[in-house]
Amino acid sequence: CYYYFLQEILDTHDSISGQITPTELCQKCLSLIKKTKFLNAYITVSEEVALKQAEESEKRYKNGQSLGDLDGIPVAVKDNFSTSGIETTCASNMLKGYIPPYNATVVQKLLDQGALLMGKTNLDEFAMGSGSTDGIFGPVKNPWSYSKQYREKRKQNPHSKNEDSDWLITGGSSGGSAAAVSAFTCYAALGSDTGGSTRNPAAHCGLVGFKPSYGLVSRHGLIPLVNSMDVPGILTRCVDDAAIVLGALAGPDPKDSTTVHDPINKPFMLPSLADVSKLCIGIPKEYLIPELSSEVRSLWSKAADLFESEGAKVLEVSLPHTSYSIVCYHVLCTSEVASNMARFDGLQYGHRCDINVSTEAMYAATRREGFNDVVRGRILSGNFFLLKENYENYFVKAQKVRRLIANDFVNAFNSGVDVLLTPTTLSEAVPYLEFIKEDNRTRSAQDDIFTQAVNMAGLPAVSIPVALSNQGLPIGLQFIGRAFCDQQLLTVAKWFEKQVQFPVIQLQELMDDCSAVLENEKSASVSLKQ
Amino acid sequence: GFTSKADPQGSGRITAQVIEHLERLALVDFGSCEAVARLEKAIAFADRLRAVDTDGVEPMESVLEDRCLYLRSDNVVEGNCADELLQNSHRVVEEYFVAPPGNISLPKLDEQEPFPHS
């Protein structure tokens, strides 16, 4: 049988040692990866590596030398994390065929814990986007497009013709990681989060999407977008699983000078909150915008009511600079991107074109061939804002606004609030054909609206799946915590998760146990005919 | 060139001179009129920041600005991996990355091929 949550496997380890072996689990996940290939969640499947790791994990268990909670657990990693010996592309022609000679620190930590690396997941090119649609390997499809919950609702709609032409996006940019976890091909996946790239697809795929405090988890080996905002993100099917992964990843890294060296309480065991009467939840009023779908708005309101009915204090708070946040993010993001993308010149790694006339001509042609329109557009925008005549009025101005936004959060938390509760996205996942009607920058500006301020303030945040929409699709809500209070944030999230009891996705055709059911149905119909 | 076809709602600040300047700095080309129009929209979007009063506000470079940077001890613990690093390059000679000749400027805009119509 299949264990949905990591904690379930750990429980079997405690009770009956090895009810499922690492190799069995690995093979099950590899088989699911093959069955769900149409989702396009994986760019590289590291089958041999995973099986070898599974073998080693089994040996360790036999000798009573398990490395910890993640030993033998299948995980996936977004393809903008460097993995030694395994192609790392960032879904870009610039890095197609690039094989890093080292592991990102977070990847190394997972491997040191004995996790099985199933593969590298798909994303928007260089993590720029909110749909996971703009990479060279094509878009990622949301597994919920094929769920019983969604399909049943669709049948009621007489206009649904072709079953696959209206598949839904996963959100982005960590859509591949989200699809991989949502389709049960692994227990946890690494994403990255610069403006919401882990939380957005988590909300659209019915997952827990956790963004740690900036400085808690090493960025070494995460191919950078915005150095002052990027963090590795964690995608799992439940909060406890996210806490287990965070426990493995958190901590200072001498290779990343932006990690903090404060002592951290490890492991990240989450207490079960008996009651929330001592909790104060803040609701930022500026997040109630007209573009918010009525369904998300209603769930947000119900969530606030739930906390209140269980004894928590629920306060309206103000984050006055909210309406400028996305603009500020846009300027800072493109500026840092312009700087970070400068390293791609074809000389030491990555794509190189054939021009040999001059270094400049070679660099320019390499970059034209290597980067897609979205990436080039952001580089050009960033360079514009960084021009001497614009630097003060755009870049420095945005840095000042950033401080105002960060201060807004500080003031909200200082008013006695423990955790903020907001929507994660404007609505549930939309069909791909609708998503592509607007360009990447427009979509990003719309979709990042609730998530990017958190990156500018460096705070921890998590998206929790709450309920299904009228169309049978997941809707998530976001909790935001104080800096370095990640454990407290996850504790509150865990309590909330238990209250809402979000349903498991029903992907009947894909699960082994259910293929047996389908066979029985076949034989039943045969006997009826007779 | 293509500035005449730029978005009429744009700021009109993207002159041919600016385009050339940006392309040289970024070593990335616009490639189309649409790209210029997109930049104009991006600038118009960014202009909204003017409405924010930032008098007396210091720019924020990092959320960790109040902390002391951790300095590790100055000991060599890794390296000597020239071979591994050279493997990722398309053009190497012995232990050198081979670059085309430098100090040659990109041709000016009017000397270049016009945009392909996209």
PDB file of all heavy atoms in Angstrom, chain A residues 463-474:
ATOM      1  N   SER A 463       1.834  28.257   2.753  1.00  0.00           N
ATOM      2  CA  SER A 463       0.501  28.120   2.177  1.00  0.00           C
ATOM      3  C   SER A 463      -0.046  26.762   2.578  1.00  0.00           C
ATOM      4  O   SER A 463       0.629  25.738   2.440  1.00  0.00           O
ATOM      5  CB  SER A 463       0.555  28.235   0.650  1.00  0.00           C
ATOM      6  OG  SER A 463      -0.756  28.118   0.124  1.00  0.00           O
ATOM      7  N   ILE A 464      -1.263  26.759   3.103  1.00  0.00           N
ATOM      8  CA  ILE A 464      -1.905  25.526   3.561  1.00  0.00           C
ATOM      9  C   ILE A 464      -3.147  25.291   2.699  1.00  0.00           C
ATOM     10  O   ILE A 464      -3.954  26.215   2.530  1.00  0.00           O
ATOM     11  CB  ILE A 464      -2.334  25.667   5.039  1.00  0.00           C
ATOM     12  CG1 ILE A 464      -1.127  25.990   5.908  1.00  0.00           C
ATOM     13  CG2 ILE A 464      -3.031  24.413   5.532  1.00  0.00           C
ATOM     14  CD1 ILE A 464      -0.110  24.881   6.011  1.00  0.00           C
ATOM     15  N   PRO A 465      -3.331  24.084   2.166  1.00  0.00           N
ATOM     16  CA  PRO A 465      -4.549  23.824   1.392  1.00  0.00           C
ATOM     17  C   PRO A 465      -5.749  23.788   2.324  1.00  0.00           C
ATOM     18  O   PRO A 465      -5.704  23.156   3.385  1.00  0.00           O
ATOM     19  CB  PRO A 465      -4.285  22.460   0.756  1.00  0.00           C
ATOM     20  CG  PRO A 465      -3.240  21.825   1.585  1.00  0.00           C
ATOM     21  CD  PRO A 465      -2.470  22.893   2.276  1.00  0.00           C
ATOM     22  N   VAL A 466      -6.795  24.471   1.946  1.00  0.00           N
ATOM     23  CA  VAL A 466      -7.933  24.631   2.848  1.00  0.00           C
ATOM     24  C   VAL A 466      -9.144  23.825   2.415  1.00  0.00           C
ATOM     25  O   VAL A 466      -9.710  23.055   3.185  1.00  0.00           O
ATOM     26  CB  VAL A 466      -8.317  26.120   2.951  1.00  0.00           C
ATOM     27  CG1 VAL A 466      -9.482  26.316   3.894  1.00  0.00           C
ATOM     28  CG2 VAL A 466      -7.127  26.937   3.402  1.00  0.00           C
ATOM     29  N   ALA A 467      -9.552  24.035   1.162  1.00  0.00           N
ATOM     30  CA  ALA A 467     -10.772  23.384   0.696  1.00  0.00           C
ATOM     31  C   ALA A 467     -10.781  23.371  -0.826  1.00  0.00           C
ATOM     32  O   ALA A 467      -9.943  24.016  -1.455  1.00  0.00           O
ATOM     33  CB  ALA A 467     -12.000  24.149   1.203  1.00  0.00           C
ATOM     34  N   LEU A 468     -11.734  22.637  -1.377  1.00  0.00           N
ATOM     35  CA  LEU A 468     -11.879  22.619  -2.827  1.00  0.00           C
ATOM     36  C   LEU A 468     -12.875  23.683  -3.250  1.00  0.00           C
ATOM     37  O   LEU A 468     -13.848  23.961  -2.547  1.00  0.00           O
ATOM     38  CB  LEU A 468     -12.360  21.247  -3.296  1.00  0.00           C
ATOM     39  CG  LEU A 468     -11.400  20.080  -3.036  1.00  0.00           C
ATOM     40  CD1 LEU A 468     -11.974  18.781  -3.585  1.00  0.00           C
ATOM     41  CD2 LEU A 468     -10.037  20.357  -3.644  1.00  0.00           C
ATOM     42  N   SER A 469     -12.604  24.273  -4.418  1.00  0.00           N
ATOM     43  CA  SER A 469     -13.521  25.279  -4.956  1.00  0.00           C
ATOM     44  C   SER A 469     -14.765  24.597  -5.517  1.00  0.00           C
ATOM     45  O   SER A 469     -14.854  23.369  -5.526  1.00  0.00           O
ATOM     46  CB  SER A 469     -12.822  26.054  -6.077  1.00  0.00           C
ATOM     47  OG  SER A 469     -12.632  25.192  -7.196  1.00  0.00           O
ATOM     48  N   ASN A 470     -15.696  25.416  -6.007  1.00  0.00           N
ATOM     49  CA  ASN A 470     -16.893  24.841  -6.628  1.00  0.00           C
ATOM     50  C   ASN A 470     -16.549  23.975  -7.831  1.00  0.00           C
ATOM     51  O   ASN A 470     -17.317  23.107  -8.225  1.00  0.00           O
ATOM     52  CB  ASN A 470     -17.839  25.963  -7.084  1.00  0.00           C
ATOM     53  CG  ASN A 470     -18.503  26.618  -5.891  1.00  0.00           C
ATOM     54  OD1 ASN A 470     -18.663  25.995  -4.846  1.00  0.00           O
ATOM     55  ND2 ASN A 470     -18.862  27.890  -6.044  1.00  0.00           N
ATOM     56  N   GLN A 471     -15.377  24.236  -8.402  1.00  0.00           N
ATOM     57  CA  GLN A 471     -14.949  23.423  -9.538  1.00  0.00           C
ATOM     58  C   GLN A 471     -14.151  22.196  -9.109  1.00  0.00           C
ATOM     59  O   GLN A 471     -13.638  21.465  -9.951  1.00  0.00           O
ATOM     60  CB  GLN A 471     -14.054  24.260 -10.457  1.00  0.00           C
ATOM     61  CG  GLN A 471     -14.804  25.305 -11.251  1.00  0.00           C
ATOM     62  CD  GLN A 471     -13.923  25.843 -12.354  1.00  0.00           C
ATOM     63  OE1 GLN A 471     -13.756  25.195 -13.385  1.00  0.00           O
ATOM     64  NE2 GLN A 471     -13.331  27.003 -12.125  1.00  0.00           N
ATOM     65  N   GLY A 472     -14.003  22.001  -7.811  1.00  0.00           N
ATOM     66  CA  GLY A 472     -13.264  20.836  -7.344  1.00  0.00           C
ATOM     67  C   GLY A 472     -11.758  21.031  -7.334  1.00  0.00           C
ATOM     68  O   GLY A 472     -10.998  20.061  -7.358  1.00  0.00           O
ATOM     69  N   LEU A 473     -11.328  22.294  -7.281  1.00  0.00           N
ATOM     70  CA  LEU A 473      -9.889  22.578  -7.309  1.00  0.00           C
ATOM     71  C   LEU A 473      -9.409  23.168  -5.987  1.00  0.00           C
ATOM     72  O   LEU A 473     -10.157  23.850  -5.301  1.00  0.00           O
ATOM     73  CB  LEU A 473      -9.580  23.562  -8.434  1.00  0.00           C
ATOM     74  CG  LEU A 473      -9.827  23.028  -9.845  1.00  0.00           C
ATOM     75  CD1 LEU A 473      -9.629  24.139 -10.858  1.00  0.00           C
ATOM     76  CD2 LEU A 473      -8.911  21.848 -10.142  1.00  0.00           C
ATOM     77  N   PRO A 474      -8.125  22.928  -5.640  1.00  0.00           N
ATOM     78  CA  PRO A 474      -7.628  23.368  -4.332  1.00  0.00           C
ATOM     79  C   PRO A 474      -7.533  24.890  -4.194  1.00  0.00           C
ATOM     80  O   PRO A 474      -7.195  25.589  -5.150  1.00  0.00           O
ATOM     81  CB  PRO A 474      -6.207  22.787  -4.264  1.00  0.00           C
ATOM     82  CG  PRO A 474      -6.049  21.899  -5.415  1.00  0.00           C
ATOM     83  CD  PRO A 474      -7.105  22.195  -6.407  1.00  0.00           C
TER      84      PRO A 474
END
